[in-house]
Amino acid sequence: MRKMYKKRITDFIRLMEQAHFEIKKAIEEENIDAAMDLLGQCQEGAVGLGNLIEKEEGEGFVTIPFLQSYCELTYEIYEALCHNEEVTGNRVYKKLKKSLIQVENSVRNDIKVQLEIVFLPYKASMWDSLESVWRAADTDPECEAYVVPIPYYERNADGTLGTLHYEGDDFPEDVPVISYDTYPLKERRPDIIYIHNPYDQGNYVTSVDPRFYSSELKKYTDCLVYIPYYVTSGGMSEGQAMCEAYFHVDYIVVQSQKLMKFFDPSIPEEKFLPLGSPKFDRTIQMCLNPPEPPKEWKERLKGRTVYFYNTSINGMLGGNPENFLKKMEYVFDCFKGREDACLLWRPHPLLESTFDSMRPEYRPWYDRLKKRFADENLGIYDDTPDITSTIALSDVYIGDSATSVTSLFGMAGKPLFILNNLIHSLPEKDDWRGEKINPAFDMWGNDRFQVTRNNQLWFSENNDYHYKFYMDLQTGYSGGNYYARAVEIKDKIYVLPGNAQNILVIKNKQIKKIHFKTQIMRQGAFYSSWYHDKYIFLLPYQYPLLLRFNIQTEELQGIEGIQPFLVRQIAGEKRIGGVGLYGNELVFSSPEDNEFIFLDMDTLLARGLCSNSKSNLGTHGIVADGDDLWLLPLNGLTITCWNPKTGEIQEYDNLPEGFKSIKWPYEVECEERPFGNIAFSREGGKEKIVLSPYWGNMYVTLDRETKEMEKWETPIPFVNRGRNGYFNTSGMGGFFVTYPQMGKADCRIWYLPERRLYEINIDTKEYKEVPIEFDYQELKEHELGFMEDSEWLQYCLHEDAFNSLQDLLDGTITGCSFDRERQVKAFSKVNASTDGRCGEKIHRSLCRKI
């Protein structure tokens, strides 16, 4: 019997118990008519219960005789009252109660509840997120399980609902599918509904039919459950922290306890079921017993290593689509003509729809590449609905990291090679410089220590930028950008965090960790740091507090209010304001208006000021000049000079002809982040400033007296971007002015596209290069190869100048070779069900709960 029917029966039995009490009371008060009326209602109710039970359980069911006895008893009492026979209320009550207890016991013990469970997938390719739960429910004799695929729409460019899709015919043959038109949710009221789409109206690419938004579904069930359609290697995007469905579902299944912390803290903890992911179940089981490949694939796969090439939506939208498409061309070129390798290309099922709705101008280029892949017979194009079969038939993963597919390969114990979409060519001599030489220069000119991306510390003994290996930072990971920079103060080295939530204090190569309270699980805790003789300030990005570290006492103090002021979501992206020094105060600027916070470094007292500039719509750079502050705009092309003591402002926007700002990484003209820094010149007795570009396309001089702005011809040739993908850069670099150089003509230029450092005199334009050197052979010796990457990507190898895609194909990897056992162990940290039985656990857990 359905749970709702049994509940209806037990609820009515409760009503009958209350009626018995009222009958007793009516008899004692000699209100015989009321007692007889209630007895009649009880008898009618018992007859109704009997009819319902016979309909659901069949004629002659064991509970029916007890109901018949109860009806006979109510009739006898009714007759006795009708003929004025002597009866007492208490005796009638006891007789009715005894008879009803027999009914109640039979209902409880003899009527077995059969739950009705419905699964509402919308894409066949995402069915694996529900499949193992359905199989557990389908084989459970106490459940009726139904698979009801629901329709969905592609969105038009204007956000309206476009083409309708229904994929009910694309599900595996052994999955009995029911049409959504023939399953009336309102009438059936299933006990449990499972969904794998959390977005409702919040998806900009597709939308399930609005009839199946979570708010509608919740009207027809007591238990609505969301199981993510994705799996993760340890991290989770901000976009998944709060989705529309979370307000309406009763439970959210998560991969592991750790991942609960990625969700918005407003979600009640009792909603989470940290039981694993059904997607892993299918992958684990199928990789143990790979299926037969499709006939048309067999010859292509035979005797070759199969490389699963994943082109994801995040990979396309997360940067410049042009780089994404050039990367596809490069991958195709690398595999062309190889007899030892098979490229199996599987685009994300919604990739073409996403091009159409969000990047339509790039769709023809993508179509040309797709045609080339087919025409040149470069490999296998996989558009089958079942990704798990393809994973089971593949040997190696190549593609983006921000996708569920990496974790599926990780759990399957197959190598992960993470592509860099900026790399479109094989590495040439010295291309490694673009990746290794990326120093965070010291504001006081002390650059003896540098942190490399693989969590190592390198040392320039003479502070001359010639670096040797010093020590590993003992993170246990080869990536993750845990630390951003290292500063030497007296006899200690302070390694300051990027994604880590601690400071390392190193003396004589002994590490002491200064731990912070863990506040976030995502990457991006801190974006930079600032230090003086007494304090180190850690500038927060995702971390909710500004942190002050006392160098002498090692006391750590958190300051509230700075992070939400400094880091804001604007126009769909996070933007960061500027930070500068003004006397003994740190100045923090808003990234969207003309507001500022001045924080005393000693007392931590804060005061708010407004520049009152109408043009100052967000500041990303602050440079002190005596009592004045130069404000470099985040939005707009107006430079502001502001005196916070007097409130006086001067604004300059007479930019030279041809000046423009180019947005990175999209390469479109904009009016954002035009300038990066300021150097001061007094050439010919005139007081000028020179502005170096950030996204701008030229250096500019500003005559403070005449307000004239002209192009400044730097003696160092420059371009806006790096010479290739190994030299990733958001701009051309610019002035790097240490505090001892402030206001002086002598400063440095950091030329980012070539990773070169120059000393320059602004007045005379005399310059010389400061060579930054690493020993190439020593770098190779300390490359880690395949290894645990970070908390957010458990184990992999990244494409770079030391390990190219061709190196992978040729088997000439630098560093550790692939270790399957090590990978499986690493990925077991992010999956609560490594035995492939997550679906069974979810099913049992939900059945118990309801």
Side-chain angles (χ1 to χ4, degrees):
M1 179 182 289
R2 287 287 309 281
K3 181 192 171 189
M4 65 176 178
Y5 294 144
K6 184 169 180 177
K7 184 177 185 301
R8 192 180 300 170
I9 292 169
T10 54
D11 287 348
F12 197 80
I13 289 173
R14 298 282 85 77
L15 288 174
M16 292 166 74
E17 288 175 349
Q18 294 175 23
H20 294 171
F21 181 79
E22 294 299 326
I23 291 168
K24 173 178 178 289
K25 184 178 176 183
I27 292 172
E28 289 174 345
E29 293 175 353
E30 298 185 356
N31 190 349
I32 303 304
D33 289 342
M36 292 172 63
D37 182 59
L38 287 169
L39 284 165
Q41 291 180 41
C42 287
Q43 188 179 52
E44 288 176 11
V47 171
L49 292 184
N51 292 335
L52 175 59
I53 292 170
E54 284 192 335
K55 180 182 175 183
E56 294 296 317
E57 302 293 327
E59 292 186 15
F61 187 72
V62 64
T63 309
I64 301 301
F66 296 115
L67 282 167
Q68 290 172 341
S69 297
Y70 177 83
C71 288
E72 290 171 3
L73 177 61
T74 57
Y75 178 76
E76 289 173 6
I77 298 170
Y78 183 95
E79 286 294 306
L81 291 174
C82 188
H83 293 95
N84 295 319
E85 294 180 13
E86 187 177 345
V87 292
T88 65
N90 191 51
R91 188 174 179 188
V92 165
Y93 178 77
K94 286 183 177 180
K95 283 185 176 182
L96 289 171
K97 180 179 179 180
K98 182 178 179 181
S99 181
L100 190 60
I101 285 174
Q102 292 179 311
V103 175
E104 184 180 10
N105 287 339
S106 181
V107 168
R108 182 189 302 115
N109 300 320
D110 299 323
I111 297 179
K112 303 302 180 186
V113 167
Q114 190 163 47
L115 299 178
E116 184 159 318
I117 303 175
V118 65
F119 296 81
L120 299 180
Y122 78 110
K123 287 205 63 73
S125 59
M126 298 176 181
W127 170 238
D128 59 351
S129 63
L130 301 175
E131 184 181 39
S132 65
V133 187
W134 167 74
R135 292 197 182 280
D138 190 53
T139 56
D140 187 341
E142 296 183 358
C143 294
E144 283 289 336
Y146 298 94
V147 179
V148 184
I150 58 177
Y152 68 95
Y153 294 88
E154 292 182 28
R155 285 203 186 271
N156 298 319
D158 63 358
T160 57
L161 299 181
T163 307
L164 176 70
H165 295 274
Y166 174 70
E167 298 188 3
D169 296 332
D170 297 330
F171 282 72
E173 291 182 2
D174 64 334
V175 179
V177 165
I178 296 176
S179 170
Y180 62 93
D181 286 328
T182 61
Y183 187 89
L185 282 167
K186 188 174 182 180
E187 295 174 20
R188 303 289 300 194
R189 297 197 62 87
D191 299 296
I192 304 175
I193 296 178
Y194 287 100
I195 59 173
H196 65 185
N197 183 315
Y199 303 113
D200 292 350
Q201 66 272 20
N203 190 332
Y204 301 121
V205 178
T206 60
S207 170
V208 298
D209 188 309
R211 291 176 293 170
F212 298 98
Y213 285 169
S214 60
S215 55
E216 291 298 308
L217 298 177
K218 185 56 189 156
K219 296 175 183 177
Y220 309 125
T221 185
D222 292 329
C223 187
L224 181 61
V225 184
Y226 164 60
I227 300 180
Y229 60 90
Y230 60 88
V231 282
T232 168
S233 297
M236 206 170 82
S237 71
E238 284 188 69
Q240 301 296 337
M242 177 57 81
C243 295
E244 184 66 27
Y246 302 168
F247 294 103
H248 308 294
V249 298
D250 297 284
Y251 298 103
I252 300 169
V253 175
V254 292
Q255 250 177 252
S256 65
Q257 194 90 22
K258 171 188 172 182
L259 292 179
M260 290 167 53
K261 298 176 183 177
F262 282 91
F263 288 85
D264 192 281
S266 66
I267 302 171
E269 191 170 318
E270 55 268 22
K271 272 196 178 187
F272 294 109
L273 297 178
L275 297 174
S277 171
K279 288 176 76 75
F280 287 137
D281 291 354
R282 195 157 196 272
T283 301
I284 292 168
Q285 298 300 331
M286 192 166 285
C287 286
L288 292 173
N289 299 286
E292 274 291 307
K295 290 181 180 178
E296 60 273 22
W297 292 13
K298 282 188 176 181
E299 190 59 35
R300 193 77 185 178
L301 297 175
K302 190 175 180 181
R304 293 180 172 91
T305 302
V306 181
Y307 294 82
F308 180 110
Y309 177 37
N310 177 42
T311 48
S312 70
I313 290 176
N314 282 331
M316 188 270 285
L317 292 179
N320 187 338
E322 184 173 330
N323 286 326
F324 176 82
L325 294 165
K326 284 181 178 179
K327 185 66 183 185
M328 287 175 57
E329 289 185 275
Y330 173 65
V331 171
F332 292 171
D333 290 341
C334 286
F335 278 87
K336 187 175 181 178
R338 292 197 73 114
E339 294 298 322
D340 59 340
C342 172
L343 181 63
L344 196 160
W345 175 31
R346 184 183 177 90
H348 189 283
L350 297 177
L351 184 60
E352 294 184 5
S353 302
T354 307
F355 268 115
D356 291 339
S357 62
M358 302 184 75
R359 300 290 187 271
E361 66 273 24
Y362 290 99
R363 178 64 191 268
W365 187 348
Y366 175 83
D367 288 339
R368 288 194 298 273
L369 285 172
K370 185 176 176 182
K371 184 175 185 299
R372 178 200 167 189
F373 186 83
D375 290 349
E376 297 182 18
N377 197 25
L378 295 175
I380 295 171
Y381 180 83
D382 178 27
D383 59 357
T384 59
D386 184 9
I387 190 175
T388 315
S389 297
T390 306
I391 292 172
L393 295 169
S394 301
D395 300 303
V396 181
Y397 171 88
I398 60 172
D400 308 314
S401 62
T403 167
S404 295
V405 187
T406 56
S407 52
L408 295 174
F409 270 86
M411 286 303 303
K414 299 186 178 187
L416 295 166
F417 187 74
I418 306 303
L419 296 178
N420 181 341
N421 282 338
L422 298 173
I423 293 176
H424 310 136
S425 60
L426 291 172
E428 298 177 356
K429 183 181 179 182
D430 289 346
D431 276 352
W432 59 268
R433 296 177 65 88
E435 297 168 336
K436 289 297 181 183
I437 302 177
N438 198 14
F441 290 119
D442 183 75
M443 65 189 75
W444 301 105
N446 184 349
D447 293 311
R448 296 217 308 157
F449 288 91
Q450 293 294 339
V451 177
T452 54
R453 290 189 307 180
N454 52 0
N455 301 311
Q456 295 171 352
L457 194 60
W458 291 66
F459 173 56
S460 172
E461 185 173 3
N462 300 317
N463 200 29
D464 59 359
Y465 299 91
H466 292 191
Y467 293 100
K468 295 287 186 181
F469 179 79
Y470 187 72
M471 67 183 297
D472 184 84
L473 293 177
Q474 300 175 21
T475 63
Y477 296 110
S478 64
N481 297 314
Y482 281 91
Y483 299 99
R485 61 185 299 207
V487 297
E488 187 179 25
I489 303 173
K490 295 183 179 177
D491 60 345
K492 294 177 182 177
I493 307 157
Y494 296 87
V495 184
L496 308 181
N499 290 327
Q501 293 176 62
N502 57 68
I503 290 176
L504 303 183
V505 182
I506 301 175
K507 185 175 181 179
N508 299 324
K509 295 192 178 183
Q510 299 298 308
I511 295 177
K512 179 172 74 171
K513 274 189 182 180
I514 309 292
H515 287 280
F516 318 147
K517 181 181 178 182
T518 301
Q519 298 269 22
I520 62 169
M521 297 300 294
R522 291 183 180 83
Q523 301 178 69
F526 303 94
Y527 78 90
S528 189
S529 57
W530 191 94
Y531 79 99
H532 205 358
D533 55 348
K534 290 194 290 186
Y535 307 114
I536 296 172
F537 285 87
L538 301 180
L539 307 179
Y541 182 60
Q542 300 271 22
Y543 201 82
L545 303 172
L546 171 72
L547 294 180
R548 186 188 74 175
F549 177 74
N550 187 309
I551 295 168
Q552 185 174 356
T553 66
E554 296 190 349
E555 177 190 10
L556 197 65
Q557 193 156 352
I559 302 97
E560 296 182 342
I562 301 297
Q563 192 272 347
F565 177 84
L566 189 65
V567 184
R568 304 189 193 179
Q569 191 83 16
I570 305 170
E573 64 180 52
K574 278 199 171 178
R575 296 184 182 177
I576 308 172
V579 180
L581 182 66
Y582 192 69
N584 197 50
E585 293 176 300
L586 282 180
V587 185
F588 302 92
S589 64
S590 160
E592 64 177 333
D593 54 37
N594 54 12
E595 299 290 335
F596 297 81
I597 291 177
F598 289 69
L599 180 76
D600 187 286
M601 291 187 291
D602 291 319
T603 66
L604 297 181
L605 292 175
R607 59 191 179 105
L609 286 179
C610 177
S611 71
N612 293 313
S613 165
K614 303 300 182 185
S615 303
N616 183 205
L617 303 176
T619 299
H620 86 103
I622 303 173
V623 179
D625 181 15
D627 286 344
D628 293 333
L629 290 176
W630 288 93
L631 309 177
L632 303 179
L634 182 60
N635 307 296
L637 302 177
T638 300
I639 298 135
T640 302
C641 184
W642 172 44
N643 186 320
K645 294 180 179 179
T646 66
E648 181 185 359
I649 62 169
Q650 299 178 58
E651 297 183 323
Y652 309 88
D653 60 2
N654 186 26
L655 289 165
E657 185 178 351
F659 184 91
K660 56 185 178 180
S661 194
I662 307 296
K663 189 178 182 71
W664 181 88
Y666 307 105
E667 304 300 330
V668 295
E669 192 169 342
C670 66
E671 291 193 352
E672 298 176 40
R673 300 174 173 90
F675 301 108
N677 208 345
I678 288 176
F680 295 90
S681 170
R682 288 171 176 81
E683 182 183 0
K686 287 190 175 182
E687 188 176 337
K688 293 184 177 181
I689 67 168
V690 184
L691 296 133
S692 63
Y694 189 75
W695 284 353
N697 65 336
M698 64 178 74
Y699 286 74
V700 173
T701 63
L702 166 62
D703 188 315
R704 294 192 66 177
E705 184 178 336
T706 65
K707 294 191 176 183
E708 289 183 2
M709 300 178 77
E710 298 177 341
K711 181 178 180 180
W712 188 72
E713 297 289 352
T714 170
I716 304 159
F718 64 80
V719 293
N720 281 74
R721 301 291 185 257
R723 66 189 187 202
N724 59 35
Y726 299 96
F727 289 80
N728 179 28
T729 170
S730 61
M732 65 183 73
F735 295 126
F736 180 76
V737 184
T738 63
Y739 279 97
Q741 295 171 322
M742 293 296 291
K744 298 180 180 179
D746 290 319
C747 64
R748 289 173 171 177
I749 286 181
W750 170 233
Y751 181 37
L752 190 55
E754 291 286 344
R755 307 297 196 263
R756 296 187 184 279
L757 183 64
Y758 298 91
E759 291 182 346
I760 187 169
N761 183 288
I762 299 300
D763 293 341
T764 66
K765 294 189 179 180
E766 293 177 305
Y767 74 94
K768 67 176 181 178
E769 183 175 358
V770 180
I772 302 175
E773 298 293 343
F774 287 78
D775 181 85
Y776 177 73
Q777 203 56 43
E778 189 177 20
L779 283 170
K780 284 194 71 172
E781 289 170 4
H782 288 92
E783 277 298 297
L784 299 172
F786 277 101
M787 187 179 162
E788 292 82 359
D789 178 76
S790 68
E791 297 168 62
W792 309 283
L793 182 55
Q794 302 304 309
Y795 184 96
C796 69
L797 176 63
H798 287 270
E799 178 186 23
D800 61 17
F802 291 96
N803 286 302
S804 68
L805 178 56
Q806 184 167 299
D807 290 328
L808 178 73
L809 296 175
D810 293 342
T812 55
I813 291 298
T814 300
C816 296
S817 57
F818 175 69
D819 185 329
R820 183 184 186 279
E821 187 175 323
R822 188 170 175 177
Q823 174 171 301
V824 171
K825 182 179 179 181
F827 271 88
S828 67
K829 298 174 185 176
V830 293
N831 180 21
S833 296
T834 57
D835 56 2
R837 298 177 62 188
C838 172
E840 296 174 30
K841 296 171 187 175
I842 293 171
H843 174 66
R844 287 199 303 268
S845 176
L846 267 301
C847 288
R848 283 196 299 268
K849 285 181 181 297
I850 67 167

